[in-house]
Amino acid sequence: MNYKKKFKLSLLGSILVTFMINAQDAIIPLWPNDKIPNSIVSDEKEEVISEDIVRIAKVQQPTIEVYLPAKKNATAEAMLIFPGGGYGILAYDWEGTDIAKFLNGKGIAGIVVKYRLPSSVSQTEKHNVPLIDAQRAIRLVRSKASEFHINPTKIGIIGFSAGGHLASTLGTHFDEKVYEPVDEIDTLTARPDFMALGYPVITFGNSTHSGSKKNLLGENPSSEMVEHFSNEKQVTEKTPPTFIIHATDDMGVPVENSLLFFQALKDKGVSATMHIYPEGGHGFSLARENVHLRGWTERMFEWIESLR
């Protein structure tokens, strides 16, 4: 083999190795391997199904996947993204990585949270597990603010459907102690600085999404647990400013979920912006095929700018 060919192969190898390292660094475990709260050793394995969208089920190792904009475009803001899926799966690209990439186009860091889904097989107190991972995720991002070139006081969240329930749970239960601290990261605040909710599950009372309620709380939850996780009843003056989108014809998660939360925010004096669209159904993500509905993304960016 001649020198030039050796050099080209060596250079190609270096590029591939660098790419692999960078790609690997973009996915960060939430917890040290032996310190995942409420975890039980079991035979349950994570499942990934890639068809029209990527669906992930039975998450065992929760992570954040980090997408950063170019430094010259960066606004120093970040949003943690909670994909939906009824607390049974995560619509990981549809309501996760695609959202992160879109945020990057506006200079905002997009960080997809692969949170654990409730499981009686691999978890104790499964109803607390998604919130445990959500609190840890925002604390972890805050701890890496300088590394990610973001402002630790400009970290927001966005969640869709059941991911919207988890986001609104974090926004209303951020100071609730649901796990024992494992390191210094857990001394940081878990309060989001702002919150966006897309066709969110909010209530576990009337107008709920029965699948999300059953998966999180079980078959016959107590009335106390139902109220605790009905987030319209948990809003306080400390709940972060909130942006909400929903479609009136949503047959999966009734629009009343968003109306209830908006009213609760208004009653507590929390800044709230809501856009209700006449049609769009459920689970529309970026709504690229709907000229009117897809404008929700611009409305959200305008709202974020108004918070600066």
Side-chain angles (χ1 to χ4, degrees):
M1 184 181 296
N2 62 40
Y3 173 78
K4 286 185 178 180
K5 194 169 185 181
K6 279 186 178 180
F7 176 78
K8 287 180 180 178
L9 287 173
S10 176
L11 180 61
L12 178 60
S14 296
I15 292 170
L16 287 173
V17 168
T18 301
F19 174 79
M20 290 169 67
I21 290 171
N22 289 340
Q24 188 176 18
D25 287 347
I27 299 178
I28 303 171
L30 287 187
W31 308 96
N33 281 336
D34 58 343
K35 294 182 180 180
I36 304 177
N38 294 46
S39 182
I40 300 172
V41 177
S42 73
D43 293 330
E44 195 170 63
K45 304 294 184 185
E46 182 172 306
E47 297 175 356
V48 180
I49 300 172
S50 298
E51 294 175 344
D52 54 334
I53 65 173
V54 175
R55 296 172 174 84
I56 301 178
K58 301 179 181 179
V59 174
Q60 303 299 308
Q61 297 287 338
T63 61
I64 55 172
E65 184 166 356
V66 182
Y67 289 81
L68 301 178
K71 288 181 184 179
K72 290 189 70 172
N73 285 328
T75 64
E77 295 156 328
M79 294 190 82
L80 279 73
I81 304 158
F82 298 95
Y87 283 124
I89 61 101
L90 301 179
Y92 194 74
D93 55 353
W94 180 245
E95 294 171 345
T97 55
D98 279 5
I99 305 298
K101 295 168 188 175
F102 197 81
L103 289 171
N104 278 183
K106 295 294 185 177
I108 300 172
I111 300 167
V112 186
V113 184
K114 188 178 77 171
Y115 57 92
R116 285 175 293 166
L117 299 157
S119 169
S120 299
V121 176
S122 60
Q123 300 161 11
T124 60
E125 295 186 323
K126 67 175 186 175
H127 57 279
N128 279 330
V129 167
L131 177 58
I132 288 171
D133 286 352
Q135 286 188 1
R136 174 69 176 189
I138 194 166
R139 287 172 171 142
L140 179 61
V141 171
R142 236 177 216 121
S143 75
K144 293 182 176 293
S146 59
E147 181 181 334
F148 295 162
H149 306 287
I150 59 175
N151 185 327
T153 66
K154 292 185 176 182
I155 299 174
I157 59 176
I158 183 169
F160 299 87
S161 193
H165 183 267
L166 179 54
S168 66
T169 303
L170 180 59
T172 53
H173 298 254
F174 56 85
D175 57 357
E176 181 179 333
K177 186 176 181 179
V178 287
Y179 68 93
E180 292 297 325
V182 301
D183 52 31
E184 289 186 2
I185 291 171
D186 293 322
T187 65
L188 300 174
T189 179
R191 181 185 181 273
D193 295 301
F194 53 96
M195 174 166 63
L197 306 173
Y199 39 88
V201 178
I202 294 291
T203 187
F204 283 156
N206 295 331
S207 301
T208 192
H209 178 252
S210 58
S212 296
K213 178 180 178 181
K214 178 181 175 182
N215 285 335
L216 186 66
L217 304 185
E219 288 280 0
N220 298 297
S222 66
S223 58
E224 291 79 12
M225 189 176 290
V226 168
E227 178 156 347
H228 186 70
F229 285 100
S230 291
N231 292 325
E232 80 280 9
K233 299 183 178 182
Q234 306 303 325
V235 173
T236 71
E237 292 82 1
K238 294 181 179 179
T239 301
T242 302
F243 175 92
I244 307 169
I245 55 165
H246 217 124
T248 305
D249 65 350
D250 190 331
M251 302 302 291
V253 177
V255 71
E256 281 75 14
N257 282 263
S258 288
L259 299 176
L260 285 168
F261 200 64
F262 180 85
Q263 185 65 54
L265 293 165
K266 179 176 177 292
D267 290 346
K268 293 295 183 180
V270 177
S271 176
T273 297
M274 181 168 64
H275 294 272
I276 302 297
Y277 293 87
E279 58 183 33
H282 186 70
F284 49 76
S285 182
L286 294 170
R288 302 314 301 160
E289 76 294 341
N290 187 315
V291 174
H292 178 51
L293 186 58
R294 70 188 182 195
W296 78 260
T297 54
E298 290 303 318
R299 305 293 79 76
M300 183 181 73
F301 294 129
E302 292 165 358
W303 170 74
I304 292 172
E305 287 182 321
S306 76
L307 300 176
R308 294 172 183 167

